Amino acid sequence: MIKNLLSIKQLQQRFGRLPVVLVSLLLLCLVIISAYQVGVWHARYLKQQVSEQKQQLTQLYQQLDQFEYQRNVLQVELDVEKSANQNLQAQLGELQEENYSLRENVAFYQKIMAPELQQSGVIIESLAVSKNRAERHYHFSLALLQVEQRRELVEGEIAIQLVGRVKGEEQRFNLLDLANISPSEHNFMMRYFTLYEGDFLLPEGLVPERIEVTADITRGGSGRLQRTFFWRDSLRNGQASGENT
């Protein structure tokens, strides 16, 4: 304040004839011009900032467009892969059905054309496995059939092995024991057919793969008859398809 007063006094001394009002106006003009220049500089600064932000925003939009394009390309590729996988699954299902039908036909013709696959006219006709309501609880039904016209009394012993994997390692279980069928009932005696049935609980952690059936003929002939039934096929319509050996 003192400095300003001194400046005014100096101006009054130098321009003694000019009114104080004029000097004040000059000072006010200087202040306005300085403020205007500061405002112009600030406006230029803000304009530059806005321009840079617009450039950044444009770049972000470009990157977003690229990402959207890449996402669309990946989505198309994913859709193509899904469609191809569905087609492969459908073809695989058709092949499995065809394979299942062929194995049934082969088993039928083996009964007629390959008597060496029979013992005393006895065949392991079928194995059906069905799932009960309780978890891991199943019912099985095994049929032995005598196909010769002259049907004599046939006796023998049956053995059924459930084969699967537990933690990747093969494990075998006696299916008759799992079904609580006593050893005395493992023997059979028939003239036309015999049927084994029972309910069993699938062992914990077991991934079943197949069921191996062995029939040893002890009366009305001799020999061993074996047949393997695949677990997955055995659950198909409750009827198993198998291989005779």
Side-chain angles (χ1 to χ4, degrees):
M1 184 67 181
I2 296 174
K3 186 176 180 180
N4 291 335
L5 291 174
L6 291 175
S7 298
I8 292 173
K9 289 181 178 181
Q10 291 175 357
L11 289 173
Q12 288 178 347
Q13 292 175 359
R14 181 172 297 183
F15 306 99
R17 296 180 180 180
L18 293 177
V20 176
V21 175
L22 181 59
V23 174
S24 299
L25 289 174
L26 290 174
L27 291 174
L28 181 60
C29 290
L30 291 175
V31 171
I32 292 173
I33 292 172
S34 300
Y36 173 76
Q37 291 177 346
V38 171
V40 170
W41 175 84
H42 186 65
R44 290 177 179 175
Y45 174 77
L46 292 177
K47 186 176 180 180
Q48 183 179 0
Q49 292 293 317
V50 170
S51 177
E52 292 177 355
Q53 290 178 359
K54 284 184 178 179
Q55 291 178 358
Q56 293 178 357
L57 186 60
T58 301
Q59 293 176 355
L60 289 175
Y61 276 126
Q62 291 175 351
Q63 292 178 358
L64 182 61
D65 290 339
Q66 292 177 355
F67 291 150
E68 184 68 20
Y69 173 77
Q70 293 175 357
R71 188 188 70 82
N72 291 334
V73 171
L74 292 175
Q75 184 64 44
V76 171
E77 293 178 352
L78 180 60
D79 292 339
V80 171
E81 290 291 336
K82 286 183 177 179
S83 177
N85 184 54
Q86 290 176 353
N87 291 335
L88 289 175
Q89 291 292 337
Q91 293 176 4
L92 180 60
E94 293 175 358
L95 290 175
Q96 288 176 339
E97 291 290 343
E98 183 179 355
N99 184 38
Y100 175 74
S101 178
L102 288 174
R103 282 197 303 213
E104 279 191 328
N105 293 336
V106 169
F108 173 77
Y109 286 111
Q110 280 178 342
K111 299 174 187 177
I112 302 173
M113 304 300 296
E116 68 275 6
L117 296 178
Q118 304 176 17
Q119 296 295 340
S120 302
V122 178
I123 63 171
I124 301 173
E125 170 63 18
S126 63
L127 173 67
V129 177
S130 57
K131 195 176 187 307
N132 294 331
R133 290 186 178 182
E135 185 178 0
R136 299 189 298 111
H137 198 264
Y138 294 85
H139 177 83
F140 81 93
S141 177
L142 173 68
L144 301 181
L145 178 66
Q146 188 174 177
V147 295
E148 290 183 346
Q149 292 184 354
R150 182 183 176 184
R151 292 182 171 87
E152 299 179 352
L153 184 64
V154 176
E155 295 183 15
E157 183 178 2
I158 195 75
I160 309 176
Q161 292 285 319
L162 174 61
V163 184
R165 294 188 179 275
V166 178
K167 296 182 179 180
E169 295 186 1
E170 185 175 281
Q171 299 287 338
R172 290 176 172 268
F173 298 89
N174 189 323
L175 186 59
L176 297 176
D177 290 344
L178 293 177
N180 295 318
I181 297 176
S182 63
S184 61
E185 297 181 69
H186 295 185
N187 299 320
F188 64 87
M189 182 170 52
M190 71 174 186
R191 192 178 298 276
Y192 297 98
F193 70 93
T194 187
L195 187 65
Y196 279 91
E197 288 186 296
D199 296 306
F200 65 97
L201 185 66
L202 199 67
E204 187 71 33
L206 177 68
V207 179
E209 293 181 347
R210 62 188 186 276
I211 298 175
E212 297 177 354
V213 181
T214 303
D216 290 315
I217 308 301
T218 58
R219 180 180 175 181
S222 62
R224 168 171 289 188
L225 182 63
Q226 293 178 313
R227 188 172 180 183
T228 298
F229 296 87
F230 299 98
W231 177 265
R232 184 173 181 179
D233 292 338
S234 71
L235 293 177
R236 190 192 304 270
N237 298 325
Q239 179 66 42
S241 172
E243 294 179 345
N244 287 307
T245 59

